Amino acid sequence: MKKIIAVFISAMLFVLPMTNAFAQDNPKPIKEKARNLASELVSKYGVSGVQYAIMDHGNIVLSDSVGVKNKATNEPITNDTMFGIGSTSKMFVSAATMMLVDAHKVDIDQPLTTYIKDFTMADERYKKITPRMLLNHSSGLYGAHYKNSMLFNDNDTENHDELLLRLQSETLKSNPGEYSVYSNDSFQLLEILVERVSGLSYTEFLAKHVSAPLGLNSTKTPLDQFDRQKLSKTYFPAIEGALPVENANVIGTGGLYSTAEELTQFAEVLTGNRTDILSEQSAKSMQSHEYRKGIWVSEETNSFNYGLGWDAVRLAPFSDYGITALSKGGDTVLYHSVLITLPEHHISMAVLSSGGSSILDSIFVSNVLLEHLKAKGIIKDILPDKTFEPPVKVEMPSDLLSYSGLYGTVGTTINVEIKNGEFELPAFLDGLVPAQKYVYAGNGAFKSSDGSVAISFDKQKNGKTYIKANFYLNFPGLGQMVMVNYEYQKLDANPLNTTVKKAWEHRNGKNYYALDEKISSIFYLAPSFITKKISVDHEGYANGTKIVDENKAVNAVEIPVMSGRDAFDLNFTTKDGSEYLTIDGQSYISEDGIKPILGGKSQYTIPSNGQAIWFKIDKNAAHKTMTADVPTSGGFAVYDENGGAVDFSTASHNNSVVLPQGGLIVLGGKAGDGFKININ
């Protein structure tokens, strides 16, 4: 997520009006293209089912699916099969906010405290945050509070109800409005704003002001009453069979369910074609190039360029054709979605999937829409994917050596050593771009061995130096995506005194385990959330945070676009001989405070504070079978020595499991819940 020269071929473009004859007589090539790409998603990219639709000038001209709704029965996906849409939900709360602007009840450039009077933070700069800054990701908030938000068969509103309380003790990572970086909490605050101003719950507001006038029957929140059997099933490798229903209880930021057809209907609102719901002026203002108001990468050919709510208001590759494309993607743990609309041509397409990712969905939509534009004569030809060659190494200017040094991003710090025109970087984008060496190829850029990634150094007007990465991502059978992103920020040395240094050396490499997450949480299948491993990356820094004293480290980076999202501080306390870690209000216990589980028969009770109980699996319990008598509101999870989920009773409904040596067990439930455990 390369300095790219946009190729505009406006001379090759001409517009033909959409006709019903096209919709009726010429769908076959588009349908075949879409089915072929969707089949690639299902066969090669971990997708169990994908649903998609195109709306053109108010008419659904393509609606189809590939894969199944339910693997056990091979039940097909229909046009009313529902999926979670993840962060595409942000467009609904964005539109809701602008509807209140139309009603003269909200001014998005007034302080947020005008509308949420009990919004406070331990940082006086919070008073400068406006609704516009929430909409364009420039509020300066750390990013996200995920505690008890993603739950199986559980629509608990704790995350929503406690957000303002959690923010009271927190600070900002940057000046409001200074730059945009993806922020989930911003849209949770917009949800609260809509509720406070309208006097309705957010679920009620959407039902009354969006779903009813549009006739949307399958666009719902977790708090709505609807037939959950309409939802596409979801799956996880370690669990046999379908998983329980996923509830993303962060409704404003990612909690809606919908269908592809209904998302394209909603796109009519976002593009100013339903002025009975949202004014054309407000729809147009949401398309403004908000990203340009703060620090940002210079390249315009990109997959990220924020508007109000939109991930992109100038989405590549459409920008290469001189076509404005707006995009919003979304991912929960299990569901994924993308909505892309071409407002000047009155065309929108949505794709929803169980499994996969919004990146894959976006490539799918882009390729199908380009085929649709070609069939209509709006574009003459589809440009081929960009190809690359190994870079030719050239002599590097000596002044670039000054960029060697310590760099950080959220979660880690690295040392960059430029030597003989080369240096190495870790993997990017969760391994989509591998760890590799980059060589100097001229014009300030260092390139990967295949030439598809270019790295450069960019000193911005805030005085900070960033590592900028220009990626072309190729997915066999699907296509290509371009991303330009700031990945790391240059950091200053942070020498520690002996006492502080020893305290952190003692923690280095140790794991801390979540105590406050409900046992219904999907995150028990995602150990990276449940488990936090402390890594003292370099002296003075741990997990990408800057060490302040023996027990505290704070966010160290201010990185625009995406890589600076979800920042955090580390705070340690000791109680009853055990050390605890607090991150974003979530408590974790040190591995040193976890005892081995007893063999034979034993009983355990969830304490009065409701926190989970963790156990180690030592050699006395390893390879034996644990059978658990679990209360209705309780459950357990078992992990192997590498942290991989072996079983999670909430999802599997199993009460018996063979215990792996060196692994862990966690019991969770309500305060006072009792567990009877038998290990033999």
Side-chain angles (χ1 to χ4, degrees):
M1 309 185 182
K2 243 173 189 171
K3 188 169 182 179
I4 307 163
I5 300 174
V7 180
F8 294 100
I9 54 169
S10 56
M12 299 170 62
L13 308 183
F14 59 98
V15 180
L16 295 177
M18 174 64 184
T19 66
N20 287 333
F22 175 88
Q24 294 170 359
D25 299 336
N26 299 292
K28 189 174 180 181
I30 313 302
K31 185 172 184 177
E32 289 180 354
K33 174 79 170 183
R35 287 192 67 84
N36 288 339
L37 290 171
S39 296
E40 289 289 312
L41 286 173
V42 171
S43 64
K44 297 179 181 177
Y45 292 98
V47 174
S48 61
V50 57
Q51 177 196 69
Y52 47 92
I54 298 177
M55 180 173 279
D56 193 324
H57 285 74
N59 298 313
I60 297 290
V61 298
L62 175 65
S63 181
D64 206 351
S65 63
V66 170
V68 295
K69 175 182 175 182
N70 186 334
K71 289 182 179 180
T73 63
N74 284 324
E75 181 182 355
I77 296 168
T78 61
N79 63 352
D80 64 351
T81 299
M82 297 165 63
F83 294 74
I85 65 170
S87 285
T88 303
S89 304
K90 289 180 172 68
M91 295 314 303
F92 285 81
V93 77
S94 299
T97 302
M98 299 307 293
M99 289 160 67
L100 294 174
V101 171
D102 286 342
H104 306 291
K105 294 181 179 180
V106 168
D107 180 337
I108 61 171
D109 292 312
Q110 289 296 308
L112 181 61
T113 52
T114 307
Y115 311 105
I116 309 177
K117 297 188 184 302
D118 51 339
F119 168 55
T120 63
M121 297 184 71
D123 186 324
E124 286 298 303
R125 294 177 294 175
Y126 83 91
K127 296 176 182 177
K128 298 180 181 179
I129 296 174
T130 65
R132 180 186 296 276
M133 295 172 188
L134 301 179
L135 288 161
N136 67 21
H137 299 281
S138 70
S139 65
L141 294 167
Y142 265 40
H145 288 78
Y146 293 116
K147 178 184 175 184
N148 293 328
S149 61
M150 309 295 295
L151 306 176
F152 282 130
N153 283 337
D154 186 346
N155 58 7
D156 190 342
T157 60
E158 175 196 315
N159 191 282
H160 166 279
D161 299 342
E162 295 185 357
L163 178 60
L164 292 176
L165 179 62
R166 292 175 185 171
L167 289 173
Q168 285 179 10
S169 61
E170 298 183 7
T171 62
L172 298 175
K173 63 186 176 190
S174 61
N175 294 322
E178 184 176 357
Y179 65 88
S180 294
V181 58
Y182 204 82
S183 169
N184 281 321
D185 279 350
S186 294
F187 292 80
Q188 288 302 97
L189 286 172
L190 287 171
E191 178 186 340
I192 295 172
L193 178 150
V194 170
E195 293 178 327
R196 296 290 179 85
V197 173
S198 71
L200 300 172
S201 74
Y202 182 58
T203 295
E204 292 170 335
F205 185 96
L206 290 182
K208 180 178 180 179
H209 295 290
V210 178
S211 292
L214 283 173
L216 306 182
N217 299 313
S218 299
T219 298
K220 304 292 183 181
T221 82
L223 298 178
D224 275 314
Q225 297 298 316
F226 67 96
D227 182 6
R228 262 62 177 178
Q229 292 303 312
K230 290 182 66 177
L231 287 164
S232 180
K233 301 293 186 183
T234 57
Y235 301 89
F236 187 81
I239 303 298
E240 185 177 348
L243 298 171
V245 171
E246 176 192 77
N247 292 292
N249 298 304
V250 278
I251 302 175
T253 200
L256 296 188
Y257 309 103
S258 192
T259 68
E261 286 190 9
E262 291 199 356
L263 276 185
T264 62
Q265 288 177 260
F266 177 62
E268 294 288 282
V269 175
L270 300 173
T271 51
N273 295 307
R274 285 298 302 263
T275 55
D276 56 320
I277 299 174
L278 182 69
S279 71
E280 187 176 355
Q281 180 181 355
S282 285
K284 192 68 177 176
S285 67
M286 292 173 70
Q287 303 170 29
S288 60
H289 291 216
E290 296 286 316
Y291 64 100
R292 290 176 171 165
K293 294 181 176 180
I295 299 165
W296 196 260
V297 293
S298 58
E299 287 75 7
E300 292 290 346
T301 302
N302 203 349
S303 294
F304 295 111
N305 27 59
Y306 300 136
L308 297 179
W310 292 107
D311 285 345
V313 293
R314 194 179 184 279
L315 178 69
F318 299 95
S319 56
D320 290 345
Y321 299 83
I323 294 174
T324 295
L326 315 173
S327 174
K328 184 72 193 83
D331 300 272
T332 64
V333 178
L334 305 167
Y335 287 119
H336 313 276
S337 71
V338 163
L339 172 65
I340 296 178
T341 185
L342 314 178
E344 296 160 352
H345 300 287
H346 201 172
I347 300 170
S348 299
M349 182 173 180
V351 59
L352 313 179
S353 63
S354 173
S357 77
S358 63
I359 289 179
L360 301 174
D361 290 350
S362 183
I363 296 171
F364 168 68
V365 174
S366 294
N367 280 311
V368 174
L369 278 180
L370 287 174
E371 199 72 44
H372 185 64
L373 293 171
K374 181 181 177 183
K376 292 189 68 174
I378 294 174
I379 62 174
K380 183 178 180 180
D381 292 300
I382 297 175
L383 298 173
D385 285 345
K386 189 172 177 63
T387 58
F388 302 92
E389 296 180 355
V392 176
K393 186 177 180 181
V394 300
E395 185 176 352
M396 184 189 77
S398 59
D399 61 332
L400 292 180
L401 290 171
S402 65
Y403 289 113
S404 292
L406 183 65
Y407 287 79
T409 191
V410 173
T412 189
T413 56
I414 62 171
N415 188 58
V416 174
E417 184 180 4
I418 304 172
K419 208 170 184 181
N420 300 320
E422 302 177 354
F423 63 89
E424 296 181 358
L425 288 176
F428 294 113
L429 304 175
D430 295 324
L432 288 176
V433 178
Q436 58 188 312
K437 181 186 295 182
Y438 296 86
V439 302
Y440 188 69
N443 297 319
F446 298 77
K447 294 191 175 182
S448 60
S449 59
D450 67 356
S452 67
V453 182
I455 303 294
S456 58
F457 298 90
D458 195 355
K459 187 169 183 177
Q460 268 285 1
K461 58 186 177 183
N462 60 357
K464 294 177 171 52
T465 298
Y466 298 104
I467 290 178
K468 182 170 65 177
N470 300 53
F471 304 108
Y472 275 98
L473 303 174
N474 293 291
F475 296 90
L478 283 181
Q480 190 177 81
M481 173 179 270
V482 58
M483 294 186 188
V484 188
N485 200 20
Y486 286 136
E487 292 289 345
Y488 289 91
Q489 175 188 320
K490 203 168 195 294
L491 301 175
D492 296 326
N494 183 36
L496 306 176
N497 65 43
T498 302
T499 302
V500 174
K501 189 174 182 178
K502 284 184 177 180
W504 286 88
E505 286 177 346
H506 179 71
R507 299 182 183 111
N508 189 30
K510 289 186 178 179
N511 289 314
Y512 292 71
Y513 299 95
L515 296 171
D516 303 324
E517 195 71 5
K518 295 183 71 173
I519 200 62
S520 55
S521 174
I522 297 170
F523 288 132
Y524 283 103
L525 291 177
S528 61
F529 181 87
I530 296 297
T531 305
K532 301 297 182 185
K533 186 173 185 176
I534 299 301
S535 173
V536 180
D537 310 315
H538 293 85
E539 182 178 347
Y541 292 90
N543 297 82
T545 60
K546 185 176 182 178
I547 296 170
V548 175
D549 57 34
E550 293 99 318
N551 295 309
K552 185 178 182 65
V554 299
N555 172 59
V557 299
E558 299 179 35
I559 305 177
V561 194
M562 287 294 286
S563 294
R565 62 178 292 182
D566 299 343
F568 56 85
D569 298 338
L570 303 174
N571 293 279
F572 294 90
T573 56
T574 301
K575 182 180 178 181
D576 299 329
S578 294
E579 186 171 66
Y580 296 84
L581 166 65
T582 302
I583 301 177
D584 295 333
Q586 182 101 353
S587 296
Y588 299 77
I589 186 172
S590 169
E591 62 182 47
D592 295 339
I594 298 176
K595 298 178 181 179
I597 194 164
L598 299 175
K601 295 182 178 180
S602 55
Q603 296 187 29
Y604 302 96
T605 303
I606 300 297
S608 59
N609 60 11
Q611 290 187 329
I613 308 171
W614 287 84
F615 300 97
K616 295 176 181 176
I617 302 171
D618 64 10
K619 62 181 181 180
N620 295 318
H623 312 303
K624 295 180 180 179
T625 299
M626 180 185 84
T627 303
D629 184 356
V630 179
T632 304
S633 56
F636 67 85
V638 177
Y639 303 96
D640 62 26
E641 62 181 343
N642 298 316
V646 174
D647 193 21
F648 177 33
S649 68
T650 300
S652 70
H653 307 296
N654 294 329
N655 68 346
S656 183
V657 60
V658 176
L659 300 179
Q661 185 166 350
L664 291 161
I665 301 166
V666 58
L667 308 178
K670 293 182 179 178
D673 276 352
F675 293 76
K676 295 179 180 179
I677 305 294
N678 186 16
I679 297 176
N680 57 41

